[in-house]
Amino acid sequence: MNHPANPPLPPDSCSLGWGGLSAFGTAPQASFWVALEQPGPWGRDAFTQSHLDPDLGARIEAAAAAHGGRAILIRRPGQHADSHGGPRRVFVAGGLAGAAWLLSGEVDDPAEVLTLPWEHLAQTRPVEAPWLHPADPVLLVCTNAKRDRCCALVGRPIVEALAERDLRVWECSHTSGHRFAPTGVLLPYGQVLARLTPTLGVEVLEAAASGKLAVGTLNEQHDRSVSWLPPREGAAVSWVRAREAFTDPIGLAAVADGDSVTVTRVDGQIWELTVTRQESEPRAESCGKDAKPAAVFHVELLSAVYA
């Protein structure tokens, strides 16, 4: 499926240098996601360089990381009111390796996020908190310009285009991998996306509303894999999804033994794969940084057994 091109970037932009390289297995690892609304400007390190109290921001990030998850800041589409107070939207996505769930609510004080039962956010059963309620899938698109200019230049137009259609999209802070800008995260499934376009964003949210991953994302161009899998296993699962057009966000398990990865589907199908990390010519991973060898995962099929 072809998608319209994004706005042009300066010729020295990092994401141009990575065009055409596989995105498989490049998702940041996280067994759950916590997204906190923070209006106004963000610095390079958004949780400690915004109007959010930097000590509180550091504590939220640390709590998520200590329990195997990831915290991220979000902003509503459109003009960013330079607000220091007021209710804040929060999304909590967990159970990613099983029956993924998404809760949402508002807090008057962002410090309330620290009261989350962090040790239970990765579990299959949704956690309970009086201010959290079940929510529909949401797409977070990185626009953290101070982290990398590519994200703002091509990320913000996507957010604006999707918001015009009243779709569930938010701007977000750094997701890692700005070399694949525009990048995004689909909650609750934890699928991390590369090289988004407005058309692809629509497909992503329409599929998610039916509990599926978008077929148009299941390829090396757009699928950075799911965050709950380690990189090599993630690359293997993404390869199988692309080969089989398998849109169920759960349904696949992966076990690695060195470069060998076994992917198993719930119906008994098994794929034996070799996943090797290979280097190509040097490229900059971020705008303004020196080039270094670019690492990608190469996947080969050894055997497949169909139930």
Side-chain angles (χ1 to χ4, degrees):
M1 182 177 298
N2 294 320
H3 302 283
N6 289 308
L9 286 165
D12 60 342
S13 297
C14 65
S15 58
L16 291 180
W18 281 74
L21 290 187
S22 174
F24 283 174
T26 64
Q29 275 198 260
S31 59
F32 63 83
W33 291 78
V34 174
L36 168 65
E37 181 181 2
Q38 176 55 53
W42 300 334
R44 183 184 184 280
D45 299 309
F47 270 92
T48 56
Q49 296 175 338
S50 66
H51 290 319
L52 182 67
D53 176 77
D55 177 66
L56 174 61
R59 290 168 65 195
I60 293 173
E61 275 197 303
H67 293 89
R70 188 175 178 109
I72 197 166
L73 292 186
I74 56 175
R75 295 184 294 215
R76 297 176 188 272
Q79 296 297 316
H80 304 141
D82 202 356
S83 171
H84 294 253
R88 315 287 183 89
R89 174 64 56 182
V90 179
F91 292 100
V92 182
L96 306 188
W101 48 263
L102 181 64
L103 304 177
S104 182
E106 288 190 342
V107 293
D108 293 321
D109 182 349
E112 291 182 60
V113 172
L114 288 174
T115 68
L116 286 169
W118 297 94
E119 66 275 17
H120 299 304
L121 296 187
Q123 69 183 18
T124 302
R125 183 177 179 179
V127 298
E128 295 184 4
W131 50 276
L132 287 174
H133 309 282
D136 293 328
V138 62
L139 178 62
L140 312 181
V141 179
C142 181
T143 62
N144 200 164
K146 292 295 179 65
R147 189 77 180 210
D148 193 272
R149 68 184 180 189
C150 285
C151 297
L153 290 175
V154 291
R156 189 163 291 123
I158 291 173
V159 173
E160 292 171 351
L162 298 180
E164 287 176 359
R165 300 184 58 155
D166 294 324
L167 295 174
R168 292 175 58 80
V169 62
W170 290 70
E171 295 188 18
C172 74
S173 58
H174 182 55
T175 62
S176 85
H178 27 248
R179 62 194 183 278
F180 298 113
T183 64
V185 182
L186 175 64
L187 301 182
Y189 305 122
Q191 185 191 23
V192 185
L193 299 162
R195 305 173 179 119
L196 282 167
T197 67
T199 304
L200 186 59
V202 172
E203 184 187 347
V204 166
L205 287 168
E206 288 181 346
S210 299
K212 302 293 184 181
L213 301 182
V215 172
T217 67
L218 305 184
N219 52 61
E220 291 183 308
Q221 179 77 359
H222 298 300
D223 186 10
R224 298 185 60 199
S225 305
V226 287
S227 67
W228 54 272
L229 283 173
R232 184 169 269 102
E233 290 91 323
V237 165
S238 290
W239 187 93
V240 171
R241 286 193 186 282
R243 174 188 171 97
E244 305 292 337
F246 187 54
T247 59
D248 186 334
I250 312 299
L252 292 174
V255 177
D257 181 8
D259 288 346
S260 298
V261 182
T262 301
V263 177
T264 305
R265 186 171 169 174
V266 291
D267 62 3
Q269 297 182 43
I270 300 173
W271 294 265
E272 297 289 348
L273 307 166
T274 297
V275 184
T276 54
R277 189 174 183 272
Q278 299 181 350
E279 291 187 349
S280 66
E281 65 273 17
R283 290 172 167 85
E285 290 191 342
S286 183
C287 292
K289 288 190 175 181
D290 292 336
K292 62 180 183 180
V296 296
F297 284 110
H298 177 70
V299 183
E300 289 187 2
L301 177 67
L302 296 178
S303 65
V305 177
Y306 293 89

